[in-house]
């Protein structure tokens, strides 16, 4: 039980630094050398908006790591329509793509017209009119970013998704923990739950309508599920010992979890509707941090049954667990990419803890981050970015890195620490 106490204490320590609740801000820390140059012209009429759509679109595309928006000072003209574009001018700027548009206020509703142009091909790739209320301008901008991203890359954009995360405010025995959700860029944050006791491990349901999480509000860890639209929540578990690491099945009917009610922490699966519980693992080790494969036929989890934390895969048909990480002495918190052919994880080397990617066909591992206290990776629903918790000086912040490690950004809170990120599914 000594190992279990140390592991649990380490998790709690990560949450207990003095922190505050505030909207997150983005800081680009590394850009990709392969980023696509794109010119985003400020929309005609956009200066009068409470939220400037063009700037939001530019910020979205830049933090994806796949685009490099041209600076506004370098723009040689400001057309608002493809009819006004002289392609040779933009070719001289080495811009591959151009976004133009205009905004009109029509009785309190905003009519946003935008076009995506192929500069070298001198072709109009995309054009659309989006109607938005004042309060929906950021959502409309993220939608436009999604359309542009997909049209150019062929990959669905994830700018309209959300993130969940935990903050804590205070020091020593006077700490307030808060579960929040925000847009994927950290704006429009909303408080979901506030408690004097720790909150951990938020997990989105596949439809994006619920969050499962661990709360210590009763004096010991329990797993809850909360409906985000109504605020209604239910307590699923309150067994003796550890109740932790909830993970939704792809169909949203089950939750995998780690429970120590029978001794050491083991992996269980609960049918959310009936509350029926099935135990999967039987070992003398610590088995925790389950994650479902996208096809729902297997799970991965962290176990120290080999002497150090490593990631194992449990095949539900065969009812067997096999080790799948062998590079290094420490690998934990595995998370699948959407295709199920790679996992992202926390790995440790002589410099500290980093986010890494392992290809499941070749077993090749690639370390993606160079910070030294990374934890809690969560993958964007399109698989292009991974968000995680890390340290910046004495503060806990959220970081994000592209799936190949070529680009990264930070999401610090202006007033303190942030932990336990979880990226939402697509919110259709």
């Amino acid at each position: 039980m000594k190992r279990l106490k140390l592991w649990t204490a380490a998790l709690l320590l990560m949450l207990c630094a003095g922190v505050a609740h505030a909207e997150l801000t983005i800081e680009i820390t590394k850009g990709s050398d392969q980023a696509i140059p794109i010119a985003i012209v400020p929309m005609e009429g956009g200066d009068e908006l409470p939220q400037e759509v063009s700037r939001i679109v530019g910020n979205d595309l830049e933090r994806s790591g796949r685009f490099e928006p041209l600076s506004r000072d370098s723009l040689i003209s400001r057309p608002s329509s493809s009819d006004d574009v002289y392609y040779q001018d933009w070719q001289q700027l080495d811009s591959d793509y151009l976004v133009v548009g205009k905004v009109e206020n029509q009785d309190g509703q905003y009519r946003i017209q935008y076009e995506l142009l192929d500069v070298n091909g001198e072709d109009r790739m995309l054009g659309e009119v989006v109607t938005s209320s004042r309060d929906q301008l950021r959502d409309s901008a993220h939608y436009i970013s999604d359309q542009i991203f997909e049209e150019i890359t062929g990959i669905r954009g994830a700018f309209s998704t959300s993130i969940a995360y935990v903050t804590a405010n205070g020091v020593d025995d006077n700490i307030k923990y808060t579960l929040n959700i925000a847009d994927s860029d950290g704006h429009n944050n909303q408080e979901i739950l506030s408690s004097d006791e720790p909150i951990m491990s938020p997990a989105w349901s596949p439809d994006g309508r619920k969050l499962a999480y661990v709360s210590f509000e009763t004096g010991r860890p329990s797993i809850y599920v909360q409906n985000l639209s109504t605020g209604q929540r239910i307590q699923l578990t309150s067994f003796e010992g550890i109740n932790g690491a909830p993970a939704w099945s792809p169909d949203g009917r089950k939750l995998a979890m780690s429970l120590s009610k029978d001794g050491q922490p083991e992996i269980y699966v609960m049918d959310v509707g009936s509350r029926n519980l099935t135990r999967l693992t039987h070992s003398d080790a610590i088995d925790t941090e389950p994650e479902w494969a996208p096809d729902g036929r297997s799970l991965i989890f962290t176990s120290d049954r080999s002497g150090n934390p490593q990631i194992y895969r449990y095949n539900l048909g065969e009812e067997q667990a096999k080790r799948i990480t062998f590079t290094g002495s420490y690998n934990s918190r595995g998370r699948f990419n959407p295709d199920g052919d790679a996992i992202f994880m926390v790995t440790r080397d002589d410099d500290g803890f980093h986010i890494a990617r392992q290809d499941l066909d070749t077993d090749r591992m690639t370390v993606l981050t160079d910070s030294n206290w990374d934890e809690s990776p969560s993958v964007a629903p399109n698989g292009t970015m991974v968000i995680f918790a890390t340290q910046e000086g004495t503060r806990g912040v959220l970081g994000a890195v592209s799936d190949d490690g070529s680009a990264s950004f930070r999401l610090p809170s202006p007033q303190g620490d942030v932990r336990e990120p979880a990226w939402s599914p697509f919110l259709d």
Side-chain angles (χ1 to χ4, degrees):
M1 292 300 290
K2 183 178 180 181
R3 289 178 301 164
L4 174 59
K5 290 178 181 177
L6 289 174
W7 200 334
T8 305
L11 288 172
L12 288 174
L13 182 61
M14 293 172 186
L15 282 171
C16 290
V19 292
H21 171 69
E23 191 166 86
L24 307 178
T25 57
I26 286 183
E27 299 173 0
I28 303 294
T29 53
K30 184 172 70 171
S32 171
D33 294 336
Q34 305 299 317
I36 300 169
I38 184 170
I40 302 172
V41 178
M43 291 185 177
E44 180 182 304
D47 293 341
E48 302 175 5
L49 300 178
Q51 301 278 357
E52 189 184 348
V53 173
S54 298
R55 192 174 296 278
I56 296 170
V57 171
N59 291 340
D60 282 346
L61 296 177
E62 183 179 19
R63 67 184 168 87
S64 75
R66 302 201 175 208
F67 293 90
E68 183 180 1
L70 273 62
S71 69
R72 291 191 170 187
D73 292 340
S74 69
L75 302 181
I76 55 179
S77 62
R78 298 201 171 191
S80 60
S81 168
S82 57
D83 294 335
D84 303 325
V85 172
Y86 295 93
Y87 285 101
Q88 290 183 347
D89 292 343
W90 299 97
Q91 290 167 1
Q92 292 177 8
L93 291 179
D94 294 326
S95 175
D96 289 356
Y97 300 95
L98 175 65
V99 179
V100 298
K102 57 185 176 181
V103 184
E104 298 175 349
N105 189 338
Q106 297 181 339
D107 299 324
Q109 290 288 106
Y110 294 99
R111 183 179 185 272
I112 307 170
Q113 180 178 339
Y114 75 95
E115 296 174 276
L116 170 65
L117 310 176
D118 180 348
V119 172
N120 296 315
E122 300 187 7
D123 183 41
R124 181 178 185 266
M125 300 176 63
L126 181 66
E128 190 177 5
V129 174
V130 178
T131 302
S132 174
S133 67
R134 180 186 180 93
D135 294 337
Q136 295 174 327
L137 283 170
R138 290 197 71 88
D139 293 338
S140 298
H142 292 321
Y143 167 81
I144 293 171
S145 302
D146 286 337
Q147 306 313 304
I148 294 171
F149 186 91
E150 183 170 6
E151 184 67 25
I152 296 174
T153 68
I155 302 171
R156 184 175 178 181
F159 305 110
S160 297
T161 56
S162 298
I163 55 173
Y165 57 93
V166 174
T167 60
N169 181 27
V171 295
D172 298 330
D173 296 329
N174 185 27
I175 300 177
K176 178 70 71 175
Y177 299 87
T178 307
L179 175 62
N180 311 273
I181 60 172
D183 293 350
S184 64
D185 62 357
H187 288 266
N188 292 334
N189 60 310
Q190 302 174 51
E191 182 180 302
I192 301 303
L193 178 69
S194 182
S195 175
D196 293 330
E197 301 296 333
I199 303 169
M200 302 172 66
S201 305
W204 292 85
S205 62
D207 61 7
R209 297 178 179 177
K210 302 181 183 72
L211 276 177
Y213 53 85
V214 176
S215 173
F216 285 69
E217 63 197 70
T218 62
R220 64 184 183 191
S222 300
I223 296 175
Y224 292 80
V225 171
Q226 184 163 339
N227 186 301
L228 295 177
S229 61
T230 66
Q232 181 182 7
R233 65 190 193 123
I234 57 175
Q235 183 178 351
L236 284 184
T237 71
S238 186
F239 298 110
E240 290 287 340
I242 295 295
N243 297 254
W248 292 91
S249 62
D251 63 8
R253 297 179 180 179
K254 300 175 182 178
L255 274 172
M257 60 191 68
S258 179
L259 304 174
S260 64
K261 66 185 187 68
D262 297 323
Q264 289 288 95
E266 304 282 359
I267 304 301
Y268 292 78
V269 171
M270 174 179 284
D271 183 289
V272 176
S274 67
R275 308 286 181 91
N276 288 336
L277 198 62
T278 303
R279 180 173 171 176
L280 299 187
T281 62
H282 299 77
S283 75
D284 294 329
I286 298 173
D287 294 342
T288 187
E289 300 174 342
E291 161 85 347
W292 293 82
D295 63 8
R297 297 178 181 178
S298 63
L299 302 96
I300 55 175
F301 62 94
T302 304
S303 176
D304 66 350
R305 60 184 65 187
S306 65
N308 292 301
Q310 295 291 344
I311 297 174
Y312 291 74
R313 188 166 192 166
Y314 185 93
N315 187 299
L316 292 169
E318 299 176 357
E319 298 184 355
Q320 291 183 351
K322 297 180 180 179
R323 181 174 167 179
I324 61 172
T325 56
F326 293 91
T327 302
S329 62
Y330 182 106
N331 296 289
S332 69
R333 197 68 177 260
R335 294 295 180 260
F336 280 101
N337 70 347
D339 293 334
D341 58 6
I343 59 171
F344 298 90
M345 71 196 84
V346 177
T347 191
R348 185 181 64 193
D349 61 18
D350 292 340
D351 295 325
F353 297 87
H354 315 287
I355 303 302
R357 172 192 169 112
Q358 178 170 309
D359 186 290
L360 294 179
D361 292 329
T362 65
D363 292 334
R364 179 185 177 186
M365 180 186 291
T366 304
V367 176
L368 304 179
T369 61
D370 55 12
S371 40
N372 56 16
W373 193 251
D374 302 335
E375 61 182 14
S376 305
S378 181
V379 186
N382 63 2
T384 63
M385 299 290 292
V386 181
I387 196 168
F388 57 95
T390 189
Q391 290 288 126
E392 190 173 76
T394 59
R395 293 191 307 153
V397 301
L398 300 186
V401 64
S402 58
D403 61 339
D404 62 358
S406 64
S408 62
F409 63 87
R410 294 284 172 89
L411 283 164
S413 169
Q415 299 167 322
D417 290 354
V418 197
R419 290 288 172 184
E420 302 281 323
W423 210 315
S424 80
F426 287 116
L427 304 174
D428 294 321

